[in-house]
Amino acid sequence: MAKFPSLQSVIDLTLKTVYRFPFEFFATLIGTIYSLIIIDNIDNKTDQFNIKVVICSSLCLVLFLSLSLYFESKISKNWIRFAISIFLGGLIALFVFNLSEEITFIEGLQLFVLSIALHLLVSFAGFIPKKYYQVEFWEFNKQLFIRIITSGIYSSVLYVGLALAITAVTKLFNVEFYKEIYGDLFIIIAGLFNTIFFLAGIPETNNTAAPIILNYPKGLKNFTQYVLMPLISLYLVILISYEAKIVVTFSLPVGWVSYLVLIFAIFGILSFLLIHPIAKETGNLWMRTFSRWFYFLLVPLLGLLFWAILYRVNLYGFTHERYYVLLLSIWLSVVVAYFIIQKQPKIKFIPISMCLFGLLSIAGPQSADSISKHSQLLRFEQYMKIVKKDKFTFKQEQDLSSIVTFLEENYGVKVLLPFTGNKLTTLIKKDKTPNSSQIMEAFGLQYRSDYDKNENDENYFNYNFNGNDKINNVHGYDLSFTLSNFGSFEDDEGVKFNDKIYKVKSVKQNYGLDLQINQDRIPLKIYDFINSNSAFELNDNSDEKITQKIETVKYDILITYSSVNGSKKGKIKTVENYEIKVLVKIKN
């Protein structure tokens, strides 16, 4: 019969863990304290300093763990480990506290990539200074993964149990706790308990008394063999078939196919890693075949991947998202080449190479930020040369608008000054932080969002009624409301008329929508009406009011069209957006 651990054994294990990982515990403690400060001041504006301390603590925790595993395996003096931990921890703190006062999207992306790189470092840090054994490396990371899941389960159960206990005391004994107690409890358990519990179960990579021995779970084999690998194979067939289609039809790949290939490749590599220890065993023919041919089958997909992403980069330049798609494509090519060329490849190459690629993308001239900024500035400069000579097309205005938005939002308007002469000088004197629309106007151009349509495009129609901001006469009608295709309309309270409550809601249909008044449904065939009326075509900012009347036994309905747009093929219009004002007269 299993025995519960004594309090003394729990204390001893905790102290042993803290002694083994002192810097990790200190980082956890600092992060927990400042997280509690943030929670307790949640009603006020959060101090960015506190947020940065928490971010710094979480990054340092992972960094310190990597260093502990490295020096534990190397069996070196503690003062060397402490000195290097303090130095590298200081660099992390310097990086975090040099970020903007309010962390931008790009800086958040840098922190995210740095976090992934440091987590990857944990997976192989303990195997850098010692002789490498493939099975030992795999088992170590399996135990880490299981420990993460176990820590999460224990922490979740403990939090739910204590939170219910607090609730029970509150309800049964009328004890009033402070309102942040549940948040504080979550932070303490997720911060201190979860971290110490996880650290306590990390195996030592250089302990001869307790060596790391392979223990392959049968459930993992079944999951990989019967669930993950069949799904990977299905996506492989789909992607190769799609590649064959674009080769035969000489068509260009759709943009999002690059994401699909990357997701497939990453999950395929995960499957490869999961089955690696048993892939060559007798009786595992399917696994052995997958392990042998997986990287060869990735080669044609790499061509599709590079074609898709380089085509987008050639058209629109680099952004951070395109940079990372291309970087992952290059990393994937390196991994594929390594596993095809090497006769006895080492699986630690995968996390090591990804970690290095991630670190290289964070700072320096080769980083995502530097290349994206330089690429878009170069495109902006080219447009500034064109604007002096030629009139811009709609597409050029739209493209330049996206460039200006990217640069202004991420780097500020001052980054544009070296390429604009005096065109922005007057604007900046009036407003130090002008928006993209104001900047485009300073160039004598119109701001065009990605959602704007070319009004002169024969394949597009657009109608906007100029009288929307005027007072309208609704005499003779009892109900008035506005409908659009963006969402459904429903009025639960209703309107009282002649001692009867009328409740209204709309239901989308393929011909427009149904207007339901109490139990009565009235079809509003909006799309048919738009197709039959030529006044909607190329009629932007119109003074002509377009109305539609519908009569039933109980109601007279007048629809006034505020705006309609969509695509057109021949005489057939496909509506993308519409907004209508509806007046309803209730007949006696």
Side-chain angles (χ1 to χ4, degrees):
M1 185 175 178
K3 293 183 180 180
F4 287 105
S6 65
L7 179 60
Q8 186 60 47
S9 64
V10 171
I11 294 173
D12 291 342
L13 181 60
T14 301
L15 292 175
K16 181 182 177 182
T17 303
V18 172
Y19 178 77
R20 183 186 175 194
F21 302 112
F23 279 91
E24 292 85 337
F25 174 74
F26 178 74
T28 302
L29 186 62
I30 294 297
T32 302
I33 290 171
Y34 276 87
S35 295
L36 290 172
I37 293 172
I38 292 172
I39 289 292
D40 291 342
N41 293 277
I42 199 71
D43 294 334
N44 304 319
K45 186 178 179 181
T46 304
D47 189 344
Q48 292 297 313
F49 175 81
N50 296 337
I51 293 175
K52 288 182 178 179
V53 170
V54 173
I55 293 171
C56 186
S57 299
S58 63
L59 291 174
C60 286
L61 167 64
V62 186
L63 172 67
F64 294 154
L65 178 57
S66 301
L67 293 172
S68 294
L69 292 171
Y70 174 82
F71 285 105
E72 193 175 67
S73 179
K74 191 178 177 63
I75 314 178
S76 60
K77 295 179 180 179
N78 279 336
W79 72 266
I80 299 176
R81 168 190 163 194
F82 293 161
I84 293 177
S85 296
I86 292 171
F87 174 72
L88 293 179
L91 290 181
I92 293 284
L94 189 65
F95 174 74
V96 173
F97 283 97
N98 269 324
L99 298 176
S100 305
E101 185 176 347
E102 290 192 10
I103 296 172
T104 64
F105 168 76
I106 292 175
E107 291 170 340
L109 188 62
Q110 289 175 321
L111 292 171
F112 175 72
V113 173
L114 178 59
S115 178
I116 290 177
L118 292 176
H119 279 81
L120 288 167
L121 182 60
V122 172
S123 69
F124 62 83
F127 294 86
I128 295 174
K130 66 189 292 291
K131 187 175 180 180
Y132 175 78
Y133 293 101
Q134 195 101 289
V135 171
E136 185 183 11
F137 177 79
W138 189 93
E139 177 63 25
F140 172 80
N141 282 282
K142 184 211 78 176
Q143 290 188 30
L144 276 188
F145 180 70
I146 292 176
R147 193 68 183 179
I148 290 171
I149 295 174
T150 307
S151 302
I153 293 172
Y154 273 62
S155 300
S156 300
V157 172
L158 182 60
Y159 174 75
V160 171
L162 291 177
L164 288 175
I166 292 170
T167 304
V169 171
T170 302
K171 299 296 183 183
L172 297 177
F173 300 99
N174 294 322
V175 177
E176 289 294 331
F177 295 97
Y178 63 101
K179 63 179 181 179
E180 294 90 3
I181 188 169
Y182 293 102
D184 289 349
L185 179 65
F186 177 82
I187 293 298
I188 292 169
I189 292 176
L192 283 176
F193 174 81
N194 185 74
T195 304
I196 293 174
F197 186 89
F198 168 73
L199 293 174
I202 295 179
E204 297 180 38
T205 57
N206 206 7
N207 188 345
T208 54
I212 299 174
I213 301 172
L214 177 66
N215 180 19
Y216 195 91
K218 187 177 179 180
L220 180 60
K221 175 185 175 181
N222 291 336
F223 169 74
T224 308
Q225 185 172 8
Y226 299 116
V227 178
L228 197 55
M229 286 172 56
L231 285 174
I232 294 296
S233 302
L234 174 64
Y235 276 96
L236 177 64
V237 171
I238 293 171
L239 287 170
I240 290 180
S241 299
Y242 175 71
E243 187 169 21
K245 174 198 166 187
I246 65 174
V247 170
V248 171
T249 60
F250 296 101
S251 58
L252 292 171
V254 294
W256 60 267
V257 74
S258 54
Y259 297 106
L260 190 59
V261 173
L262 284 174
I263 292 170
F264 161 78
I266 290 170
F267 275 93
I269 290 173
L270 176 62
S271 301
F272 172 82
L273 292 174
L274 289 176
I275 65 170
H276 190 269
I278 59 170
K280 297 182 180 180
E281 290 182 2
T282 306
N284 292 336
L285 178 63
W286 171 233
M287 289 187 175
R288 190 163 65 249
T289 304
F290 177 86
S291 180
R292 181 184 302 170
W293 292 103
F294 171 70
Y295 288 102
F296 288 95
L297 293 172
L298 276 179
V299 173
L301 295 182
L302 284 174
L304 177 62
L305 179 59
F306 277 102
W307 186 1
I309 185 58
L310 289 176
Y311 178 74
R312 301 287 293 178
V313 169
N314 183 57
L315 284 179
Y316 307 112
F318 277 100
T319 59
H320 297 81
E321 292 83 356
R322 293 186 198 117
Y323 173 93
Y324 277 109
V325 171
L326 183 59
L327 184 70
L328 283 171
S329 304
I330 296 170
W331 168 77
L332 188 59
S333 301
V334 172
V335 170
V336 168
Y338 172 79
F339 276 88
I340 288 176
I341 295 170
Q342 280 288 338
K343 292 182 179 179
Q344 293 182 326
K346 297 178 175 62
I347 59 174
K348 73 174 182 179
F349 181 82
I350 294 173
I352 290 175
S353 59
M354 184 174 258
C355 176
L356 291 175
F357 271 70
L359 290 174
L360 287 171
S361 73
I362 295 171
Q366 79 294 329
S367 67
D369 194 46
S370 178
I371 288 180
S372 298
K373 180 182 178 181
H374 177 75
S375 173
Q376 295 303 323
L377 279 174
L378 184 62
R379 297 181 70 228
F380 179 78
E381 184 181 14
Q382 290 170 345
Y383 271 118
M384 288 299 98
K385 292 176 181 177
I386 297 172
V387 78
K388 296 177 182 177
K389 303 175 182 178
D390 301 316
K391 185 178 179 181
F392 274 27
T393 64
F394 177 89
K395 185 65 178 174
Q396 286 175 319
E397 281 188 327
Q398 194 172 46
D399 193 26
L400 180 58
S401 296
S402 69
I403 296 170
V404 169
T405 299
F406 175 85
L407 292 171
E408 184 270 325
E409 287 182 350
N410 295 312
Y411 306 104
V413 68
K414 289 184 179 179
V415 77
L416 304 175
L417 294 178
F419 310 99
T420 58
N422 297 321
K423 290 185 178 180
L424 292 179
T425 306
T426 305
L427 176 62
I428 293 177
K429 285 180 180 178
K430 294 179 181 178
D431 186 350
K432 292 183 179 181
T433 57
N435 58 37
S436 302
S437 181
Q438 292 172 308
I439 294 170
M440 289 291 289
E441 189 177 337
F443 301 146
L445 302 170
Q446 186 173 345
Y447 178 81
R448 309 278 187 181
S449 75
D450 293 338
Y451 302 101
D452 287 343
K453 300 291 185 180
N454 188 355
E455 298 164 12
N456 299 315
D457 189 348
E458 293 181 356
N459 298 318
Y460 177 75
F461 71 96
N462 185 51
Y463 168 82
N464 281 292
F465 178 50
N466 276 332
N468 286 325
D469 55 350
K470 298 177 182 178
I471 298 174
N472 295 305
N473 186 358
V474 295
H475 179 71
Y477 291 91
D478 306 304
L479 306 175
S480 174
F481 46 89
T482 300
L483 301 176
S484 74
N485 64 322
F486 293 115
S488 298
F489 175 86
E490 185 168 4
D491 180 18
D492 293 328
E493 295 181 5
V495 176
K496 191 173 184 180
F497 183 76
N498 289 341
D499 297 325
K500 184 178 180 181
I501 299 295
Y502 289 88
K503 295 183 179 181
V504 180
K505 75 174 184 177
S506 66
V507 181
K508 286 187 178 182
Q509 301 291 352
N510 56 9
Y511 47 75
L513 55 85
D514 283 346
L515 187 63
Q516 183 168 326
I517 305 175
N518 290 346
Q519 302 304 315
D520 301 312
R521 275 208 177 197
I522 305 139
L524 305 185
K525 297 186 178 181
I526 295 169
Y527 299 152
D528 289 345
F529 180 78
I530 292 171
N531 266 284
S532 65
N533 195 323
S534 60
F536 288 105
E537 298 179 23
L538 299 174
N539 204 11
D540 193 29
N541 298 324
S542 174
D543 293 321
E544 181 181 349
K545 181 189 291 186
I546 302 177
T547 59
Q548 178 184 3
K549 291 184 178 181
I550 299 172
E551 295 185 9
T552 69
V553 177
K554 295 183 179 180
Y555 309 100
D556 285 342
I557 298 173
L558 177 66
I559 300 172
T560 302
Y561 286 82
S562 301
S563 63
V564 179
N565 62 60
S567 58
K568 186 177 64 170
K569 190 173 183 181
K571 295 183 179 180
I572 304 299
K573 305 184 191 77
T574 301
V575 178
E576 295 175 2
N577 305 295
Y578 68 81
E579 182 178 289
I580 58 176
K581 294 180 179 178
V582 182
L583 298 176
V584 179
K585 179 181 179 181
I586 303 170
K587 296 180 179 179
N588 294 328

